[in-house]
Amino acid sequence: MNLRFSRWAVAVFSCCVLLFSRSSQAATYYVWTNSPAIGPGTNWATAFHDIQSAVISASNAGDLVIVMDGVYATSTTVAAGSSSLNRIVATNAITIQSVNGPAVTTIVGQGPMGVTGVRCAHLENGAALSGFTLTGGFAAYDFGDPYRDQSGGGAYSSGAVISNCVITGNTTRFFGGGVYGGTIVDSIIEGNNAGAGGGCHGCVVNRCDIRGNTADDGSGSSRGGGVSGSTVTDSTIRGNVTWYGSGAESSSLNRCLVVGNSAIKMGGGMRYGSAENCVIISNSAPWGGGGAISAWLSNCVVLCNSAVGTEGGGGGAKNSALINCLVAGNVTSQNIPGGGLCGGRAENCTIVGNSVSSHFYPGVGAGTYNTSNRNCIVYFNTGGTNVSGGFCDHTCTTPDPGGTG
């Protein structure tokens, strides 16, 4: 009797599991501006004409929203707990994916900043957005939360992932012209503007091209033209502009190329934060730290950066700590010392071929100035001495600076 009951119980349990699994299977919803019917979006013939309608239907974690080619510039919605307008709001773990990628699938926001400004996307709690161009987005201004509403011109992201997207031409006065928060993968972040973090702020960034962004809120103290407050890996940060930290501000970089960024004041390549296994090349800052200022660099190449101005110093880096780095071909001018390094410390570094141009004082340190050098090679720097000020410990240079080793 007990055996028969046990078999019956197992059978009932198995049926319940099967029914539950079928009922909880992820659903797919379709979006196409030219579908003959508007909804319910369960196939292409009944596809929704706007993305948000499909997102509302995709109420279960794991649901998929597939979007056909087109420009999606209608519908506005407000996320719970926020005040700003968005083209789409996804607050659960669904995936929103285009069919043919960002070249032919675009979400367009609306300007200007303010009550009528519309951000492209608000994403939270495991939502994923893949294969879109996000452009023309404007965050709110002078109302709402400074982060959820006034940051992230292209997208506000919290615990969400943006991948294979082009994020371009978005604006906010606060943080993250392109994106605020979340994770960005395999994307282009280009031509966005913010008060801080022109490209993105507070993000985890992998395998992205961050280029041509600006940070300028009119205050003269904007920072992080490319990224700010972010962790960036295997990415290129190039051609960004702001006042301080044009490539990166207060960020952690690993295996990145930081090239051609221009600061109006300090930190052409980066300010604050850290860089490991990076190439920092051809950046500029007239007030000092052409490559980096007040940063920690390890296993980096710091090459051909400049601090060409009337004050500052440190064509390669200023007031920074460098470990196992090559510092070469950097320059300062106008008698400003430290063609390679100014201040800070260098350990196990090779510092060669740096220069001070337009010099009148031959004692100016063309290689390092007021830098603590330990186990370094400092040679073939021109326009001044290899080393001036600071101290040397087990360092090869000429003339002999004294010290240990």
Side-chain angles (χ1 to χ4, degrees):
M1 187 69 176
N2 289 336
L3 180 60
R4 289 179 180 176
F5 177 79
S6 298
R7 288 175 177 172
W8 177 84
V10 169
V12 171
F13 176 76
S14 298
C15 289
C16 290
V17 169
L18 180 61
L19 289 172
F20 176 77
S21 64
R22 286 181 177 174
S23 66
S24 63
Q25 285 178 351
T28 300
Y29 297 92
Y30 298 85
V31 181
W32 179 27
T33 57
N34 295 323
S35 69
I38 305 176
T42 53
N43 53 51
W44 287 118
T46 63
F48 292 107
H49 287 192
D50 69 276
I51 299 171
Q52 186 59 30
S53 294
V55 169
I56 292 170
S57 296
S59 57
N60 295 316
D63 284 355
L64 174 64
V65 173
I66 299 180
V67 183
M68 183 54 77
D69 307 355
V71 176
Y72 295 87
T74 61
S75 81
T76 56
T77 186
V78 178
S82 299
S83 304
S84 57
L85 300 173
N86 309 270
R87 289 292 181 226
I88 61 173
V89 172
T91 57
N92 59 334
I94 65 171
T95 297
I96 307 165
Q97 181 175 318
S98 73
V99 175
N100 292 310
V104 291
T105 320
T106 303
I107 301 173
V108 182
Q110 176 181 301
M113 287 186 294
V115 177
T116 60
V118 181
R119 180 194 285 136
C120 297
H122 179 116
L123 309 168
E124 295 187 74
N125 303 323
L129 183 72
S130 180
F132 293 87
T133 292
L134 307 181
T135 190
F138 285 79
Y141 178 59
D142 275 352
F143 74 94
D145 184 83
Y147 306 107
R148 288 176 63 86
D149 295 309
Q150 299 183 44
S151 296
Y156 171 87
S157 177
S158 176
V161 178
I162 296 171
S163 65
N164 187 31
C165 285
V166 176
I167 303 158
T168 181
N170 303 285
T171 305
T172 178
R173 185 175 172 84
F174 288 90
F175 301 100
V179 180
Y180 177 90
T183 298
I184 313 170
V185 182
D186 297 325
S187 296
I188 295 171
I189 306 169
E190 179 180 19
N192 304 282
N193 181 65
C200 63
H201 175 89
C203 299
V204 175
V205 181
N206 296 312
R207 302 186 302 276
C208 290
D209 189 357
I210 305 159
R211 65 195 191 201
N213 302 282
T214 58
D216 187 4
D217 61 3
S219 67
S221 59
S222 296
R223 58 200 185 275
V227 302
S228 63
S230 296
T231 299
V232 187
T233 306
D234 296 324
S235 297
T236 299
I237 304 172
R238 55 179 171 141
N240 303 284
V241 178
T242 190
W243 294 77
Y244 299 92
S246 285
E249 167 84 5
S250 303
S251 295
S252 175
L253 313 180
N254 192 9
R255 299 189 301 274
C256 290
L257 173 63
V258 183
V259 57
N261 302 282
S262 301
I264 298 171
K265 289 188 176 179
M266 301 180 186
M270 63 183 297
R271 185 177 77 153
Y272 304 143
S274 65
E276 296 185 68
N277 309 304
C278 293
V279 176
I280 302 172
I281 180 171
S282 298
N283 304 281
S284 63
W287 284 27
I293 189 167
S294 302
W296 185 87
L297 281 61
S298 175
N299 297 313
C300 291
V301 175
V302 183
L303 184 67
C304 298
N305 303 282
S306 64
V308 179
T310 57
E311 55 185 291
K318 182 176 181 179
N319 298 338
S320 298
L322 288 82
I323 302 172
N324 300 325
C325 293
L326 170 64
V327 182
N330 304 283
V331 61
T332 62
S333 70
Q334 305 293 333
N335 306 309
I336 304 302
L341 303 177
C342 179
R345 66 184 181 92
E347 184 174 336
N348 302 326
C349 292
T350 300
I351 304 164
V352 295
N354 304 283
S355 63
V356 176
S357 63
S358 303
H359 68 89
F360 296 99
Y361 305 101
V364 167
T368 69
Y369 176 77
N370 282 348
T371 304
S372 300
N373 300 302
R374 183 172 183 270
N375 295 332
C376 293
I377 298 171
V378 189
Y379 261 97
F380 306 118
N381 301 284
T382 61
T385 59
N386 284 303
V387 174
S388 176
F391 73 88
C392 294
D393 177 12
H394 293 85
T395 289
C396 295
T397 189
T398 184
D400 184 356
T404 305

